[in-house]
Amino acid sequence: MPDLNTFKLEGTKLVPINRFNLEPSKPSSSFTTATIKREPQFTVIEHPIIHSIDIKPIPVIIGFPIFESYFPLIEGDNAITENDSFKDYFKNEITLFFPQIEAEPNNGTLFYYENVLDKSGNKSGLAGKVTLKYSIKTKPLQANQKSIVLNLREAILNLKVNHDIVKINGIVNATTQEIQFDLIDEAVKIAFMNLVSNISDMKCNVDLFFDFKGYSKVKRNFLFARDFTVLRSQNITKKDLVSTRSLLEPKLTLINRPLMVKSATINTATPGRVIADIQKENNIKAGDQEEFVKSTFLLKINKTLNFPLSVNAVSSLYKTIDGGFINNPFNLNEDFSQFRQIFVSGFNFDKLSIYKSMVQPNTFLLISKIYNLSKDLNTMKPCISTIFHAYEDGTSTSEEISKISFQFAIGPNLSDFDLAKLKIALLNNNFIDGDNMDYFDKVQFLFPNDIAAEYEVSGNYFLQKSDIATDGKHFLFNLSTDDLSEASIMINALNNTITQYANINFKHKEIKDTSVIELNIENTIGEIVEAIIDNEAKKIKINNQSISNCKLNSILLVYNQNATYLNSTFFKNYPELISNDSKFLDFTAVNPTNSEALKKVFFDFENIENISSEFNQVVSQSTSYNRYIQVEIKSQSAATSKITIELTVQETGSKFTIERLKAEFATPILFNFIIKNSLNNNTLIAYKVNYFDKNDNLISSRNDVFNFLTSSKIIINKKS
């Protein structure tokens, strides 16, 4: 996978380059600038599946700072450290430095613990916390030197035990600059021993992740990204080459012309000669194009935490409810389980595995039993793209596909509504530690990637040979193949919403668990219903952000005192929300018995995606090397319950088999195949149609030949 850590400005949002825009991942190491490498001999053509349905683009408005702000120019690809210095992006004469970061005990208390009692008054466990105060101090600077503005994003306490590390997530209060790490049972003992230890390897430390804005230089080894047909137009301007699509196409257009990205090393052949003339006419310099993008970077600062026990209890940093203590009150048990599995009523094991942390209160590891294709947060389109790699053959106009890459993101099939219901179930099943007044905010959910669990993909030839990277709770797959028939099978599966299945196996210390990957563009996950609460007007504004219709099933209301209310009947006859549709809900309509101030709202919804049925609305756009054929099955006799179609592309010898049951006859099939572009192509497809009855007996067959140059649709008639 390419480097995933550089962002670009898209409208008013910072959007990552070379990655799907998913939920923010948890920081675990410092970000570096992206180094994008492209093979100069390749032309890159994006498969139209990523452009499934167009939505209105957001105008890109890049403004300059009104106030005097300083943004470092990040160059190179080395990890960013606290001792680095940078030139200011706008004022080259200014040198920028990171401020000095200090961490110390908060208000004279570093470590605090209490014994937890059971209902009989006996000691049944421990509860504790480590508290820190951090400060950002400007270093002594000269007139031409300035400080970089830092914001603490996350803090992680690293406890040492048995040559291993137990990570504890901190609660950061940026207003008071305080950090609190909550601990239970064995983690309380481990933290105390780490904090007072005289052995270097047993001293705990804290990772502080600060984010800051800066500019990075991204080299792009291409000149433009436009529709290939633009090159053949006689009225091409510089604006055509560097701007985004200016005309809105119909919203329901499924298949756009493939986006052609030409290498900067262009031959003199057409359309290369056209490009050279455009460059000269518009004073466009050939060669690698440089682009500066405003980026979000992370600075990781590690601080060792080690403070000896005081001889005076009054001044001790280690305290209980009775005040400071100066002796070791613990016997450390090094053989402990970090997580133990729990079972919560209402959440079946076939949907979700739940593990409770034994070191941090109200923290639960969730392993969803199903992983699905994720949606992009900006566009709400499926996070999947297919890229064709090709090269120009000498000075001719022929192009040959040499490799195909599939990139997609999958995530756990757990909605915000599911997670909110789980919090309530954890409370009702007595899994909440301590005071439960603010349990809705206290509960933290972790996913396998958050604890660096090992994983392995099996059970699917396509998916298990992919390069896989992790991003938050998502997995990013990158599959490349030079077997064009193999790639066509994958493309046809995506186009016709045929699910690809695989197993993903997780392993972490004592935990072993398995989930199933279901890859299908009509079965995607992502929050598509935006809810804006207006407590003064007693209304909730809801908006369908998806490109598909949305059916609401239930609403879960959370009030300021963590009282909850679930209404599953209000939306029984409620109309579907069409794309970008907004409606208002009255508080009293969804909960007649309570009109208090609302804190949060969650929806159970269905995303009514029906991409394959919309193939009827568009004639497929093909290229000289990537062909689309629509297969349409006409009305059949009552005796025909299944049809199989065996196709052979005579130019390449590639063979494909398509199967349709009676219920699917009316849905057209979008069939894709890849050929080499030459002057003397064989443009015939031989196909055989088999008709079966309800008992899978073959009742008829016919053979035919189809010329894909004369038509883009194969008609399967009623059996003769």
Side-chain angles (χ1 to χ4, degrees):
M1 291 292 290
D3 195 312
L4 306 176
N5 303 317
T6 301
F7 293 70
K8 65 181 178 180
L9 186 65
E10 183 177 285
T12 59
K13 298 181 179 180
L14 282 174
V15 180
I17 290 176
N18 281 337
R19 59 153 283 182
F20 302 111
N21 189 18
L22 304 166
E23 296 179 26
S25 59
K26 286 185 175 294
S28 58
S29 61
S30 59
F31 279 2
T32 60
T33 59
T35 302
I36 297 179
K37 298 180 180 179
R38 298 184 185 273
E39 299 293 338
Q41 70 270 27
F42 279 154
T43 297
V44 180
I45 307 135
E46 288 190 11
H47 187 274
I49 195 77
I50 195 174
H51 304 295
S52 295
I53 304 175
D54 282 343
I55 62 174
K56 186 176 180 180
I58 302 174
V60 177
I61 303 174
I62 302 177
F64 294 95
I66 300 175
F67 305 102
E68 186 156 35
S69 301
Y70 299 97
F71 298 97
L73 175 61
I74 313 294
E75 297 182 289
D77 56 359
N78 295 324
I80 299 170
T81 69
E82 56 188 307
N83 297 320
D84 289 340
S85 62
F86 309 93
K87 292 295 182 182
D88 181 68
Y89 176 72
F90 293 102
K91 299 178 181 179
N92 193 255
E93 69 277 7
I94 299 294
T95 303
L96 302 179
F97 295 88
F98 289 118
Q100 182 176 338
I101 306 299
E102 295 182 358
E104 58 187 4
N106 184 34
N107 295 326
T109 300
L110 174 66
F111 174 87
Y112 178 88
Y113 87 97
E114 293 180 8
N115 288 299
V116 177
L117 305 180
D118 61 19
K119 60 184 179 181
S120 300
N122 299 318
K123 296 179 181 179
S124 63
L126 297 168
K129 59 185 177 181
V130 172
T131 55
L132 297 175
K133 183 91 169 180
Y134 71 94
S135 57
I136 303 175
K137 299 181 179 179
T138 302
K139 298 176 182 176
L141 299 173
Q142 300 178 10
N144 62 341
Q145 298 175 340
K146 302 294 180 182
S147 274
I148 300 171
V149 176
L150 297 178
N151 298 295
L152 184 59
R153 176 174 169 181
E154 186 164 345
I156 297 176
L157 178 63
N158 301 302
L159 301 179
K160 307 286 187 66
V161 60
N162 273 354
H163 306 289
D164 198 359
I165 295 177
V166 177
K167 292 183 176 291
I168 306 294
N169 295 320
I171 302 170
V172 177
N173 187 329
T175 303
T176 59
Q177 295 189 322
E178 295 174 332
I179 310 170
Q180 179 172 311
F181 302 94
D182 292 326
L183 314 166
I184 57 175
D185 297 335
E186 300 303 326
V188 176
K189 303 177 184 179
I190 297 169
F192 173 78
M193 297 300 292
N194 285 179
L195 290 170
V196 300
S197 176
N198 287 322
I199 302 174
S200 297
D201 289 343
M202 292 305 299
K203 295 178 180 179
C204 62
N205 58 69
V206 61
D207 289 327
L208 303 176
F209 293 91
F210 294 88
D211 68 11
F212 63 96
K213 305 296 183 183
Y215 282 83
S216 61
K217 181 165 54 177
V218 178
K219 289 188 177 181
R220 300 229 180 242
N221 197 31
F222 54 84
L223 174 64
F224 59 89
R226 295 290 294 168
D227 193 321
F228 188 71
T229 55
V230 172
L231 298 177
R232 299 190 175 94
S233 171
Q234 300 300 313
N235 300 312
I236 304 176
T237 66
K238 181 177 179 180
K239 181 180 179 181
D240 289 323
L241 296 179
V242 299
S243 66
T244 56
R245 184 187 299 127
S246 57
L247 297 176
L248 280 177
E249 298 177 5
K251 177 183 175 184
L252 290 179
T253 298
L254 275 175
I255 307 299
N256 296 326
R257 297 178 181 88
L259 179 68
M260 181 72 77
V261 183
K262 299 294 291 182
S263 171
T265 56
I266 298 172
N267 296 320
T268 57
T270 304
R273 190 184 302 279
V274 178
I275 298 173
D277 292 341
I278 297 169
Q279 291 175 332
K280 183 177 180 180
E281 177 185 347
N282 295 280
N283 297 318
I284 302 175
K285 184 179 179 181
D288 289 359
Q289 303 296 306
E290 293 183 345
E291 177 186 358
F292 290 92
V293 292
K294 190 176 183 181
S295 309
T296 299
F297 296 92
L298 281 184
L299 171 66
K300 174 184 174 182
I301 294 180
N302 181 274
K303 296 288 185 181
T304 299
L305 298 180
N306 190 256
F307 297 85
L309 276 169
S310 173
V311 295
N312 185 350
V314 176
S315 60
S316 177
L317 300 174
Y318 303 86
K319 298 177 180 178
T320 68
I321 194 170
D322 297 321
F325 62 90
I326 58 175
N327 299 308
N328 178 14
F330 307 119
N331 291 317
L332 180 60
N333 173 20
E334 296 184 348
D335 297 324
F336 68 95
S337 296
Q338 189 167 342
F339 294 95
R340 69 176 175 89
Q341 188 169 10
I342 62 174
F343 299 92
V344 180
S345 60
F347 288 83
N348 297 329
F349 182 71
D350 59 353
K351 178 180 176 64
L352 178 66
S353 294
I354 308 171
Y355 297 85
K356 182 172 171 43
S357 173
M358 297 291 97
V359 297
Q360 189 169 6
N362 300 316
T363 299
F364 301 87
L365 170 67
L366 307 182
I367 299 182
S368 173
K369 306 306 287 187
I370 299 177
Y371 275 73
N372 290 116
L373 190 63
S374 299
K375 287 182 180 294
D376 187 284
L377 287 179
N378 283 340
T379 65
M380 292 298 160
K381 295 180 182 178
C383 290
I384 189 164
S385 67
T386 306
I387 300 175
F388 295 93
H389 301 272
Y391 64 86
E392 292 190 6
D393 187 10
T395 58
S396 69
T397 59
S398 68
E399 296 188 12
E400 180 182 341
I401 300 295
S402 59
K403 185 172 68 171
I404 298 180
S405 295
F406 299 91
Q407 296 178 349
F408 55 92
I410 64 165
N413 188 5
L414 293 171
S415 67
D416 287 349
F417 180 85
D418 293 331
L419 298 179
K421 283 189 64 179
L422 178 55
K423 290 181 179 181
I424 298 173
L426 290 170
L427 174 68
N428 294 336
N429 286 269
N430 299 316
F431 286 116
I432 301 299
D433 299 309
D435 185 3
N436 58 25
M437 285 298 295
D438 296 321
Y439 78 97
F440 226 88
D441 300 318
K442 287 180 179 178
V443 171
Q444 295 189 72
F445 291 129
L446 302 177
F447 295 90
N449 294 344
D450 296 329
I451 61 171
E454 297 178 3
Y455 60 87
E456 179 185 21
V457 175
S458 62
N460 184 291
Y461 172 73
F462 288 110
L463 303 186
Q464 69 190 35
K465 69 176 187 176
S466 303
D467 293 328
I468 306 175
T470 58
D471 185 7
K473 60 185 180 182
H474 298 85
F475 292 89
L476 306 180
F477 284 73
N478 184 17
L479 168 64
S480 294
T481 178
D482 53 10
D483 187 327
L484 305 188
S485 297
E486 179 183 279
S488 292
I489 293 173
M490 186 69 168
I491 294 172
N492 287 322
L494 295 171
N495 284 337
N496 296 286
T497 65
I498 300 171
T499 303
Q500 296 288 303
Y501 292 97
N503 292 327
I504 183 165
N505 307 302
F506 297 107
K507 182 180 179 182
H508 178 75
K509 298 178 181 177
E510 69 272 18
I511 292 176
K512 290 184 180 180
D513 217 321
T514 299
S515 301
V516 176
I517 298 171
E518 296 182 2
L519 180 61
N520 188 318
I521 62 172
E522 281 195 352
N523 188 15
T524 57
I525 59 171
E527 296 302 317
I528 65 173
V529 181
E530 179 188 37
I532 301 175
I533 300 172
D534 187 341
N535 278 306
E536 292 186 1
K538 303 293 183 182
K539 290 182 181 294
I540 306 168
K541 180 182 179 181
I542 57 175
N543 176 47
N544 176 14
Q545 304 176 93
S546 173
I547 55 181
S548 305
N549 283 10
C550 172
K551 182 180 184 301
L552 299 177
N553 295 323
S554 303
I555 184 172
L556 177 62
L557 309 174
V558 182
Y559 296 92
N560 281 335
Q561 299 301 317
N562 279 323
T564 59
Y565 181 82
L566 176 64
N567 189 329
S568 301
T569 60
F570 178 80
F571 296 104
K572 186 175 182 180
N573 298 314
Y574 201 78
E576 291 182 3
L577 289 176
I578 63 174
S579 178
N580 292 320
D581 190 15
S582 295
K583 293 186 180 298
F584 289 90
L585 302 175
D586 291 325
F587 283 10
T588 54
V590 291
N591 184 4
T593 63
N594 194 334
S595 60
E596 296 179 5
L598 271 175
K599 183 167 64 174
K600 295 177 182 177
V601 176
F602 301 94
F603 288 97
D604 181 28
F605 61 85
E606 296 177 43
N607 200 14
I608 313 299
E609 297 173 302
N610 197 7
I611 295 175
S612 61
S613 66
E614 295 175 1
F615 288 154
N616 286 321
Q617 304 180 41
V618 63
V619 176
S620 306
Q621 301 288 341
S622 297
T623 67
S624 299
Y625 39 78
N626 184 33
R627 290 280 173 175
Y628 279 93
I629 301 298
Q630 195 174 50
V631 182
E632 183 177 317
I633 301 176
K634 292 296 185 180
S635 178
Q636 300 294 315
S637 64
T640 303
S641 293
K642 184 177 74 173
I643 289 177
T644 63
I645 308 162
E646 302 170 3
L647 303 102
T648 302
V649 181
Q650 296 190 356
E651 171 68 18
T652 60
S654 299
K655 298 179 182 294
F656 305 92
T657 300
I658 299 171
E659 180 180 292
R660 276 290 191 262
L661 301 178
K662 175 174 284 189
E664 304 167 318
F665 286 173
T667 302
I669 305 161
L670 195 64
F671 170 65
N672 169 273
F673 60 97
I674 303 165
I675 60 174
K676 297 179 180 179
N677 181 18
S678 63
L679 297 177
N680 300 309
N681 266 349
N682 185 335
T683 60
L684 299 180
I685 296 178
Y687 66 95
K688 179 181 180 180
V689 183
N690 299 313
Y691 301 83
F692 297 85
D693 64 14
K694 63 180 181 179
N695 296 318
D696 270 353
N697 296 312
L698 180 64
I699 56 178
S700 181
S701 293
R702 73 179 181 92
N703 294 282
D704 211 336
V705 176
F706 173 77
N707 188 340
F708 57 76
L709 278 189
T710 60
S711 175
S712 63
K713 183 180 292 188
I714 296 178
I715 303 296
I716 307 300
N717 293 311
K718 183 185 296 186
K719 79 176 183 66
S720 55

